[in-house]
């Protein structure tokens, strides 16, 4: 069961990255530096879950999820704080009434809660049960989700290389550095 | 800054291949870069449109 939950959580992270891509390329909303930091957080949290599915369960993997959730959650909180004062504007469009940095903060909170629940569930299981989990993590559905996640990490790397090149991203990006689109 | 994305991709590939130690090391190094990046962006002068 916990490996199925890890697969579900990794699917959620893939969904977050896909929505971010949709807004970036279909609606032409370029991510800012703090947005990039939040995306890295989801990627590293996904790596922690991926490790559980592919290399076997370890509390250390959930530790990686927790650490990156706290750091990237702080980045989203920083961005929320930038816009909390009335009249200070916002960055990007809203989804269901909240901007993406607010959703990212909710997402990292959910990851912290999920990690706590998963550790509670795993902590009471005998070690021999955990050994079977690696094979469950190699089920066709889990494997498809894992490969989708790896493909999305590669796509993010390319997208940010196009936007920022090898240097720091501009504070308020309006075009791609390495992708002249002719508009 | 594309470095953390390169490292995240590398960590994902290592995790996918079952190289637990390598993936954890690269993942933790990426978290350290995240911390540095966060401190930089939490203390520099940002445009309010961010």
């Amino acid at each position: 069961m916990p490996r199925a939950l890890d697969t579900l959580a990794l699917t959620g992270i893939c969904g977050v990255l896909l929505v971010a891509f949709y807004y970036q390329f279909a609606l032409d909303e370029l991510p800012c530096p703090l947005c990039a930091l939040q995306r890295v957080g989801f990627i590293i949290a996904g790596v922690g879950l991926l490790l559980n599915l592919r290399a076997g369960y370890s509390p250390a993997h959930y530790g990686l999820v927790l650490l990156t959730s706290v750091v990237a959650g702080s980045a989203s909180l920083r961005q929320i704080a930038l816009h909390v004062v009335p009249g200070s504007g916002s960055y990007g469009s809203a989804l269901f009434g909240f901007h993406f940095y607010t959703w990212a903060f909710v997402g990292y909170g959910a990851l912290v809660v999920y990690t706590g629940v998963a550790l509670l569930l795993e902590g009471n299981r005998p070690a021999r049960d955990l050994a079977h989990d690696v094979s469950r993590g190699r089920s066709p559905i889990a494997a498809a989700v894992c490969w989708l996640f790896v493909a999305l990490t590669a796509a993010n790397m390319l997208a940010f290389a196009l936007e920022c090149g090898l240097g720091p991203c501009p504070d308020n990006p309006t075009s791609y550095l390495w992708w002249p689109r002719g508009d | 800054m594309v470095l953390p994305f390169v490292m995240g991709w590398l960590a994902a590939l290592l995790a996918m291949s079952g190289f637990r130690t390598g993936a954890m090391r690269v993942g933790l190094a990426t978290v350290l870069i995240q911390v540095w990046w966060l401190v930089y962006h939490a203390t520099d002068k940002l445009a309010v449109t961010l």
Side-chain angles (χ1 to χ4, degrees), chain A:
Chain A
M1 185 64 179
R3 293 296 73 77
L5 289 178
D6 281 343
T7 306
L8 198 62
L10 191 60
T11 307
I13 288 177
C14 289
V16 168
L17 296 174
L18 282 170
V19 169
F21 266 136
Y22 173 75
Y23 274 79
Q24 180 175 352
F25 290 109
L27 304 183
D28 213 19
E29 290 189 8
L30 271 69
C32 59
L34 285 171
C35 314
L37 189 50
Q38 290 158 50
R39 266 201 227 185
V40 171
F42 281 115
I43 288 174
I44 298 302
V47 167
L49 299 172
L50 189 63
L51 275 167
N52 269 348
L53 292 171
R54 301 295 292 190
Y57 161 78
S58 166
H61 304 157
Y62 284 126
L64 186 63
V65 176
L66 277 178
L67 280 175
T68 195
S69 295
V70 169
V71 175
S74 305
S76 40
L77 196 59
R78 156 72 166 157
Q79 198 164 4
I80 292 169
L82 279 172
H83 304 296
V84 77
V85 178
S88 57
S90 59
Y91 190 86
S93 51
L95 180 68
F96 302 122
F98 292 112
H99 287 87
F100 283 102
Y101 36 87
T102 310
W103 280 119
F105 186 71
V106 172
Y108 290 120
L111 274 172
V112 169
V113 170
Y114 167 74
T115 306
V117 171
L119 283 171
L120 280 173
L121 288 174
E122 303 277 16
N124 289 326
R125 295 176 68 208
R128 64 175 183 279
D129 285 358
L130 299 174
H132 296 297
D133 282 352
V134 177
S135 57
R136 284 182 192 166
R138 292 181 191 273
S139 72
I141 294 175
V145 173
C146 291
W147 280 114
L148 173 64
F149 173 73
V150 173
L152 285 170
T153 58
N156 266 287
M157 179 181 65
L158 292 173
F160 276 89
L162 287 175
E163 182 185 332
C164 311
L166 298 178
C169 298
D171 278 355
N172 199 5
T174 54
S175 62
Y176 290 89
L177 187 66
W178 285 355
W179 188 18
R181 301 177 72 184
D183 51 1

Side-chain angles (χ1 to χ4, degrees), chain B residues 9-50:
Chain B
W9 175 65
L10 183 62
L13 279 183
L14 288 169
M16 199 67 191
S17 311
F19 293 110
R20 179 183 174 275
T21 308
M24 282 295 289
R25 283 182 182 166
V26 175
L28 286 172
T30 312
V31 173
L32 287 178
I33 290 177
Q34 271 185 292
V35 171
W36 173 79
W37 200 358
L38 175 61
V39 170
Y40 175 80
H41 283 300
T43 52
D44 73 336
K45 288 182 180 176
L46 284 171
V48 80
T49 49
L50 274 181

